[in-house]
Amino acid sequence: MEGRIVKLVSGDYFVCCNKKIYVCKALGIFRYKNIEPKVGDYVKINEKDKVIIEVKDRFNNLDRPCVA
């Protein structure tokens, strides 16, 4: 099932699919591949396990500076 990340709160990704919101976690493999899902990304989720299994390529990215 494909959707879009609409909200991120401390590791919980809120994904909108077919006008329904799913609270999902990201797979640990993303950490090793240096992929960080962000709000606005299109993703593929496993509806049964509530995990993000794939992050689609993004077209642009805004870098935010570190906050002291």
Side-chain angles (χ1 to χ4, degrees):
M1 179 176 246
E2 292 188 12
R4 189 174 198 172
I5 299 175
V6 294
K7 186 177 180 181
L8 168 63
V9 177
S10 63
D12 290 333
Y13 295 91
F14 292 77
V15 180
C16 181
C17 298
N18 299 329
K19 297 182 182 179
K20 191 172 180 185
I21 302 291
Y22 296 94
V23 180
C24 302
K25 295 282 188 182
L27 287 178
I29 193 82
F30 295 138
R31 193 174 6 190
Y32 297 113
K33 293 182 178 180
N34 291 327
I35 299 172
E36 184 179 339
K38 296 183 179 180
V39 174
D41 284 348
Y42 289 99
V43 294
K44 193 178 279 188
I45 66 169
N46 184 343
E47 185 179 358
K48 180 182 172 193
D49 297 331
K50 304 256 190 316
V51 293
I52 297 173
I53 54 176
E54 182 183 349
V55 178
K56 303 289 183 176
D57 292 333
R58 63 177 68 103
F59 300 106
N60 55 16
N61 187 22
L62 295 175
D63 292 326
R64 295 176 62 183
C66 296
V67 178

Coordinates of all heavy atoms in Angstrom, one line a residue:
M1 N 0.8 -1.2 0.0 CA 0.0 0.0 0.0 C 0.9 1.2 0.0 O 1.9 1.3 0.7 CB -0.9 -0.1 1.2 CG -1.8 1.1 1.4 SD -2.8 0.8 2.9 CE -4.4 0.6 2.0
E2 N 0.6 2.2 -0.8 CA 1.4 3.4 -0.9 C 0.7 4.6 -0.3 O -0.5 4.7 -0.4 CB 1.7 3.7 -2.4 CG 2.7 2.7 -3.0 CD 3.1 3.1 -4.4 OE1 2.9 4.2 -4.8 OE2 3.7 2.2 -5.1
G3 N 1.5 5.5 0.3 CA 0.9 6.7 0.9 C 2.0 7.7 1.0 O 3.1 7.6 0.5
R4 N 1.6 8.8 1.8 CA 2.6 9.9 2.0 C 2.7 10.2 3.5 O 1.7 10.1 4.2 CB 2.0 11.1 1.3 CG 2.9 12.3 1.3 CD 2.3 13.4 0.5 NE 3.4 14.3 0.1 CZ 3.2 15.3 -0.8 NH1 2.1 15.5 -1.3 NH2 4.2 16.1 -1.0
I5 N 3.9 10.4 4.0 CA 4.1 10.8 5.4 C 3.6 12.2 5.6 O 4.0 13.1 5.0 CB 5.6 10.7 5.7 CG1 6.1 9.2 5.5 CG2 5.8 11.1 7.2 CD1 7.6 9.1 5.7
V6 N 2.7 12.3 6.6 CA 2.1 13.6 6.9 C 2.6 14.2 8.2 O 2.4 15.4 8.5 CB 0.6 13.6 6.8 CG1 0.1 13.3 5.4 CG2 0.0 12.6 7.8
K7 N 3.1 13.3 9.1 CA 3.5 13.8 10.4 C 4.6 12.8 11.0 O 4.5 11.6 10.7 CB 2.3 13.8 11.3 CG 2.5 14.4 12.7 CD 1.1 14.3 13.4 CE 1.2 14.9 14.8 NZ -0.1 14.8 15.5
L8 N 5.5 13.4 11.7 CA 6.6 12.6 12.4 C 6.7 13.0 13.8 O 7.0 14.2 14.1 CB 7.9 12.8 11.6 CG 9.2 12.3 12.3 CD1 9.1 10.7 12.4 CD2 10.4 12.7 11.5
V9 N 6.5 12.1 14.7 CA 6.6 12.3 16.2 C 7.4 11.2 16.8 O 6.9 10.1 16.9 CB 5.2 12.4 16.8 CG1 5.3 12.7 18.3 CG2 4.3 13.5 16.2
S10 N 8.6 11.6 17.2 CA 9.6 10.7 17.9 C 9.5 9.2 17.4 O 9.3 8.3 18.1 CB 9.3 10.7 19.4 OG 8.1 10.3 19.8
G11 N 9.8 9.1 16.1 CA 10.0 7.8 15.5 C 8.7 7.2 15.0 O 8.7 6.1 14.4
D12 N 7.5 7.8 15.3 CA 6.3 7.3 14.7 C 5.9 8.1 13.5 O 5.9 9.4 13.5 CB 5.1 7.5 15.8 CG 5.3 6.5 16.9 OD1 5.9 5.4 16.7 OD2 4.8 6.8 18.0
Y13 N 5.7 7.5 12.4 CA 5.4 8.1 11.1 C 3.9 8.0 10.9 O 3.4 6.9 10.9 CB 6.2 7.5 10.0 CG 7.7 7.7 10.1 CD1 8.5 6.7 10.8 CD2 8.3 8.8 9.6 CE1 9.8 6.9 10.9 CE2 9.7 9.0 9.7 CZ 10.4 8.0 10.4 OH 11.8 8.2 10.5
F14 N 3.2 9.1 10.6 CA 1.8 9.1 10.3 C 1.7 9.1 8.8 O 2.1 10.1 8.2 CB 1.1 10.3 11.0 CG 1.1 10.2 12.5 CD1 2.2 10.5 13.2 CD2 -0.1 9.8 13.1 CE1 2.2 10.5 14.6 CE2 -0.1 9.8 14.5 CZ 1.0 10.1 15.2
V15 N 1.2 8.0 8.2 CA 1.1 7.9 6.8 C -0.3 7.9 6.3 O -1.1 7.1 6.9 CB 1.8 6.5 6.4 CG1 1.8 6.4 4.9 CG2 3.3 6.5 6.8
C16 N -0.6 8.7 5.4 CA -1.9 8.9 4.8 C -2.0 8.0 3.6 O -1.4 8.2 2.6 CB -2.2 10.3 4.5 SG -3.9 10.6 3.8
C17 N -2.9 7.0 3.6 CA -3.2 6.1 2.5 C -4.7 6.0 2.3 O -5.4 5.6 3.3 CB -2.6 4.7 2.8 SG -0.9 4.6 3.0
N18 N -5.2 6.3 1.1 CA -6.6 6.2 0.8 C -7.5 6.9 1.8 O -8.5 6.4 2.3 CB -7.0 4.7 0.7 CG -6.3 4.0 -0.4 OD1 -5.9 4.6 -1.4 ND2 -6.0 2.7 -0.2
K19 N -7.1 8.2 2.2 CA -7.8 9.0 3.2 C -7.9 8.4 4.5 O -8.9 8.6 5.3 CB -9.2 9.3 2.6 CG -9.1 10.1 1.3 CD -10.5 10.5 0.9 CE -10.4 11.3 -0.5 NZ -11.7 11.6 -1.0
K20 N -6.9 7.5 4.9 CA -6.9 6.9 6.2 C -5.5 7.1 6.7 O -4.5 7.0 6.0 CB -7.3 5.4 6.1 CG -7.5 4.8 7.4 CD -8.0 3.4 7.2 CE -8.3 2.7 8.6 NZ -8.7 1.3 8.4
I21 N -5.3 7.3 8.0 CA -4.0 7.6 8.7 C -3.6 6.3 9.4 O -4.3 5.7 10.2 CB -4.1 8.8 9.7 CG1 -4.6 10.0 9.0 CG2 -2.7 9.0 10.3 CD1 -3.6 10.6 8.0
Y22 N -2.3 5.9 9.1 CA -1.7 4.8 9.7 C -0.5 5.2 10.5 O 0.3 6.1 10.0 CB -1.2 3.7 8.7 CG -2.4 3.1 7.9 CD1 -2.7 3.6 6.7 CD2 -3.0 2.0 8.4 CE1 -3.8 3.0 6.0 CE2 -4.1 1.4 7.7 CZ -4.4 1.9 6.5 OH -5.4 1.4 5.8
V23 N -0.3 4.8 11.7 CA 0.9 5.1 12.5 C 1.9 4.0 12.3 O 1.6 2.8 12.7 CB 0.5 5.3 14.0 CG1 1.8 5.6 14.8 CG2 -0.5 6.3 14.2
C24 N 3.0 4.3 11.7 CA 4.0 3.2 11.3 C 5.4 3.5 11.9 O 5.7 4.6 12.3 CB 4.1 3.2 9.8 SG 2.6 2.9 9.0
K25 N 6.2 2.5 11.9 CA 7.6 2.6 12.3 C 8.4 2.3 11.0 O 7.9 1.7 10.1 CB 8.0 1.5 13.3 CG 7.3 1.7 14.7 CD 8.0 2.8 15.4 CE 7.4 2.8 16.9 NZ 8.0 3.9 17.6
A26 N 9.7 2.8 11.0 CA 10.5 2.6 9.9 C 11.3 1.3 10.2 O 11.7 1.0 11.3 CB 11.5 3.7 9.7
L27 N 11.7 0.6 9.1 CA 12.5 -0.6 9.2 C 13.9 -0.2 9.6 O 14.4 0.9 9.3 CB 12.6 -1.4 7.9 CG 11.3 -2.1 7.5 CD1 11.5 -2.8 6.2 CD2 11.0 -3.2 8.5
G28 N 14.6 -1.1 10.4 CA 16.0 -0.8 10.8 C 17.0 -0.7 9.7 O 18.1 -0.1 9.8
I29 N 16.7 -1.4 8.5 CA 17.6 -1.4 7.4 C 17.8 0.0 6.8 O 18.9 0.3 6.3 CB 17.0 -2.3 6.3 CG1 18.1 -2.6 5.2 CG2 15.8 -1.8 5.6 CD1 19.0 -3.7 5.6
F30 N 16.9 0.9 7.0 CA 17.1 2.3 6.6 C 18.3 3.0 7.3 O 18.9 3.8 6.7 CB 15.8 3.1 6.8 CG 14.6 2.7 6.0 CD1 13.4 2.6 6.5 CD2 14.8 2.3 4.7 CE1 12.3 2.2 5.8 CE2 13.7 1.9 3.9 CZ 12.5 1.9 4.5
R31 N 18.5 2.6 8.5 CA 19.6 3.2 9.3 C 20.9 2.8 8.7 O 21.8 3.6 8.6 CB 19.5 2.7 10.7 CG 20.3 3.4 11.7 CD 20.1 2.9 13.1 NE 19.1 1.8 13.0 CZ 18.5 1.2 14.0 NH1 18.7 1.7 15.2 NH2 17.7 0.2 13.9
Y32 N 21.1 1.6 8.2 CA 22.3 1.1 7.6 C 22.5 1.7 6.2 O 23.7 1.9 5.8 CB 22.4 -0.4 7.6 CG 22.3 -1.0 8.9 CD1 21.2 -1.7 9.4 CD2 23.4 -0.8 9.8 CE1 21.2 -2.3 10.6 CE2 23.4 -1.3 11.1 CZ 22.3 -2.1 11.5 OH 22.2 -2.6 12.8
K33 N 21.5 2.0 5.5 CA 21.6 2.6 4.2 C 21.6 4.1 4.2 O 21.5 4.8 3.2 CB 20.4 2.1 3.3 CG 20.4 0.6 3.0 CD 19.3 0.2 2.1 CE 19.3 -1.2 1.8 NZ 18.2 -1.6 0.9
N34 N 21.6 4.7 5.4 CA 21.5 6.2 5.6 C 20.3 6.8 4.9 O 20.4 7.9 4.3 CB 22.8 6.8 5.1 CG 24.0 6.5 6.0 OD1 23.8 6.3 7.2 ND2 25.1 6.4 5.5
I35 N 19.2 6.2 5.0 CA 17.9 6.7 4.5 C 17.1 7.2 5.7 O 16.8 6.4 6.6 CB 17.2 5.7 3.7 CG1 18.0 5.2 2.5 CG2 15.8 6.2 3.2 CD1 17.4 4.0 1.7
E36 N 16.7 8.4 5.7 CA 15.9 9.0 6.7 C 14.6 9.4 6.1 O 14.5 10.4 5.4 CB 16.6 10.2 7.4 CG 15.9 10.7 8.6 CD 16.6 11.9 9.2 OE1 17.9 12.0 9.0 OE2 16.0 12.7 9.9
P37 N 13.5 8.7 6.4 CA 12.2 9.1 5.9 C 11.8 10.5 6.5 O 12.0 10.7 7.7 CB 11.2 8.1 6.4 CG 12.0 6.9 6.7 CD 13.4 7.4 7.1
K38 N 11.3 11.4 5.7 CA 10.9 12.7 6.1 C 9.4 13.0 5.8 O 8.9 12.3 4.9 CB 11.8 13.8 5.5 CG 13.2 13.6 5.9 CD 14.1 14.7 5.3 CE 15.5 14.6 5.7 NZ 16.3 15.7 5.2
V39 N 8.9 14.0 6.4 CA 7.5 14.4 6.1 C 7.4 14.8 4.6 O 8.3 15.6 4.2 CB 7.1 15.5 7.0 CG1 5.7 16.1 6.7 CG2 7.1 15.1 8.5
G40 N 6.4 14.3 4.0 CA 6.2 14.6 2.5 C 6.7 13.5 1.6 O 6.4 13.5 0.4
D41 N 7.5 12.6 2.1 CA 8.0 11.5 1.3 C 6.8 10.5 1.0 O 6.0 10.2 1.8 CB 9.1 10.7 2.0 CG 10.4 11.4 2.0 OD1 10.6 12.4 1.3 OD2 11.3 10.9 2.8
Y42 N 6.9 10.0 -0.2 CA 6.0 8.9 -0.6 C 6.6 7.6 -0.2 O 7.8 7.4 -0.5 CB 5.7 8.9 -2.1 CG 4.8 10.1 -2.5 CD1 5.4 11.3 -3.1 CD2 3.5 10.1 -2.4 CE1 4.6 12.3 -3.4 CE2 2.7 11.1 -2.7 CZ 3.3 12.3 -3.3 OH 2.5 13.3 -3.6
V43 N 5.8 6.7 0.5 CA 6.4 5.5 1.0 C 5.4 4.3 0.7 O 4.3 4.5 0.3 CB 6.6 5.6 2.5 CG1 7.6 6.6 2.9 CG2 5.3 5.9 3.2
K44 N 6.0 3.2 0.8 CA 5.2 1.9 0.7 C 5.2 1.3 2.1 O 6.2 1.1 2.7 CB 5.9 1.0 -0.3 CG 5.0 -0.2 -0.8 CD 5.7 -1.0 -1.8 CE 5.6 -0.4 -3.2 NZ 6.0 -1.3 -4.2
I45 N 4.0 0.9 2.6 CA 3.9 0.4 3.9 C 3.3 -1.0 3.9 O 2.6 -1.4 2.9 CB 3.1 1.3 4.8 CG1 1.6 1.4 4.4 CG2 3.7 2.7 4.9 CD1 0.7 2.0 5.4
N46 N 3.6 -1.7 4.9 CA 2.9 -3.0 5.2 C 1.8 -2.7 6.2 O 2.0 -2.4 7.3 CB 3.9 -4.0 5.7 CG 3.3 -5.4 5.9 OD1 2.1 -5.6 5.9 ND2 4.2 -6.4 6.1
E47 N 0.6 -2.8 5.7 CA -0.6 -2.5 6.5 C -0.8 -3.4 7.7 O -1.2 -2.9 8.8 CB -1.8 -2.5 5.6 CG -3.1 -2.0 6.3 CD -4.3 -2.1 5.4 OE1 -4.1 -2.4 4.2 OE2 -5.4 -1.7 5.8
K48 N -0.4 -4.6 7.6 CA -0.6 -5.6 8.6 C 0.4 -5.3 9.8 O 0.0 -5.3 10.9 CB -0.4 -7.0 8.1 CG -0.6 -8.1 9.1 CD -0.3 -9.4 8.5 CE -0.3 -10.5 9.6 NZ 0.3 -11.7 9.1
D49 N 1.7 -5.2 9.5 CA 2.7 -5.0 10.5 C 2.9 -3.5 10.9 O 3.6 -3.2 11.8 CB 4.0 -5.6 10.0 CG 3.9 -7.1 9.8 OD1 3.1 -7.7 10.5 OD2 4.7 -7.6 8.9
K50 N 2.3 -2.6 10.1 CA 2.4 -1.1 10.3 C 3.9 -0.7 10.3 O 4.4 0.0 11.3 CB 1.8 -0.8 11.7 CG 0.3 -1.2 11.8 CD -0.6 0.0 11.6 CE -2.0 -0.2 12.0 NZ -2.7 -1.3 11.5
V51 N 4.6 -1.1 9.3 CA 6.0 -0.7 9.1 C 6.2 -0.1 7.7 O 5.5 -0.5 6.7 CB 7.0 -1.8 9.3 CG1 7.0 -2.3 10.7 CG2 6.7 -2.9 8.3
I52 N 7.1 0.9 7.5 CA 7.5 1.4 6.2 C 8.5 0.5 5.6 O 9.5 0.2 6.2 CB 8.0 2.8 6.4 CG1 7.0 3.8 7.0 CG2 8.5 3.4 5.1 CD1 7.5 5.1 7.3
I53 N 8.2 0.0 4.4 CA 9.1 -1.0 3.8 C 9.9 -0.4 2.7 O 10.9 -1.0 2.3 CB 8.4 -2.2 3.3 CG1 7.2 -1.9 2.4 CG2 7.9 -3.0 4.5 CD1 6.5 -3.1 1.8
E54 N 9.5 0.8 2.1 CA 10.2 1.4 1.0 C 9.9 2.9 1.0 O 8.8 3.3 1.3 CB 9.8 0.8 -0.3 CG 10.5 1.3 -1.5 CD 10.0 0.7 -2.8 OE1 9.2 -0.2 -2.8 OE2 10.3 1.3 -3.8
V55 N 11.0 3.6 0.8 CA 10.9 5.1 0.7 C 11.1 5.4 -0.8 O 12.2 5.1 -1.3 CB 11.9 5.8 1.6 CG1 11.7 7.3 1.4 CG2 11.6 5.5 3.0
K56 N 10.2 6.1 -1.4 CA 10.4 6.5 -2.8 C 11.4 7.6 -2.9 O 11.6 8.4 -2.0 CB 9.0 6.9 -3.5 CG 8.0 5.9 -3.4 CD 8.2 4.8 -4.3 CE 7.1 3.8 -4.2 NZ 7.2 2.7 -5.2
D57 N 12.0 7.8 -4.1 CA 13.0 8.9 -4.3 C 12.3 10.2 -4.1 O 11.2 10.5 -4.6 CB 13.6 8.8 -5.7 CG 14.5 7.6 -5.8 OD1 15.0 7.1 -4.8 OD2 14.6 7.1 -7.0
R58 N 12.9 11.2 -3.4 CA 12.4 12.5 -3.3 C 13.0 13.4 -4.3 O 14.1 13.2 -4.8 CB 12.6 13.0 -1.9 CG 14.0 13.2 -1.4 CD 14.1 13.8 0.0 NE 13.6 13.0 1.0 CZ 14.4 12.3 1.8 NH1 15.7 12.4 1.7 NH2 13.9 11.5 2.7
F59 N 12.2 14.4 -4.7 CA 12.6 15.4 -5.7 C 13.4 16.5 -5.2 O 14.2 17.1 -5.9 CB 11.3 15.9 -6.5 CG 10.6 14.8 -7.1 CD1 9.3 14.4 -6.6 CD2 11.0 14.1 -8.2 CE1 8.6 13.4 -7.2 CE2 10.3 13.1 -8.8 CZ 9.1 12.8 -8.3
N60 N 13.2 16.9 -4.0 CA 13.9 18.0 -3.4 C 14.1 17.8 -1.9 O 13.4 17.0 -1.3 CB 13.3 19.4 -3.7 CG 11.9 19.4 -3.2 OD1 11.4 18.6 -2.4 ND2 11.1 20.4 -3.7
N61 N 15.0 18.5 -1.3 CA 15.3 18.3 0.1 C 15.7 19.7 0.7 O 16.6 20.3 0.2 CB 16.4 17.3 0.3 CG 16.6 16.9 1.8 OD1 15.7 17.1 2.6 ND2 17.8 16.4 2.0
L62 N 15.2 20.1 1.8 CA 15.6 21.3 2.5 C 16.4 20.9 3.7 O 16.0 20.2 4.6 CB 14.4 22.1 3.0 CG 13.5 22.7 1.9 CD1 12.3 23.3 2.5 CD2 14.2 23.7 1.0
D63 N 17.7 21.3 3.7 CA 18.5 21.1 4.9 C 18.3 22.1 6.0 O 18.3 23.3 5.7 CB 20.0 21.1 4.4 CG 20.3 20.0 3.5 OD1 19.8 18.9 3.6 OD2 21.2 20.2 2.6
R64 N 18.1 21.5 7.2 CA 17.9 22.4 8.3 C 19.2 22.4 9.1 O 19.8 21.4 9.4 CB 16.8 21.9 9.2 CG 15.4 21.9 8.5 CD 14.4 21.3 9.3 NE 14.2 22.1 10.5 CZ 13.3 21.7 11.5 NH1 12.6 20.7 11.3 NH2 13.2 22.5 12.6
P65 N 19.6 23.6 9.6 CA 20.8 23.7 10.4 C 20.6 23.1 11.7 O 19.5 23.0 12.3 CB 21.1 25.2 10.5 CG 19.8 25.8 10.3 CD 19.0 24.9 9.3
C66 N 21.7 22.6 12.4 CA 21.7 22.1 13.7 C 21.3 23.3 14.7 O 21.8 24.4 14.5 CB 23.0 21.5 14.1 SG 23.5 20.1 13.1
V67 N 20.5 22.9 15.7 CA 20.1 23.9 16.6 C 20.9 23.8 17.9 O 21.1 22.7 18.4 CB 18.6 23.8 16.9 CG1 18.1 24.8 18.0 CG2 17.8 23.9 15.7
A68 N 21.4 24.9 18.4 CA 22.3 24.8 19.6 C 21.4 24.9 20.8 O 20.4 25.4 20.9 CB 23.3 25.9 19.6

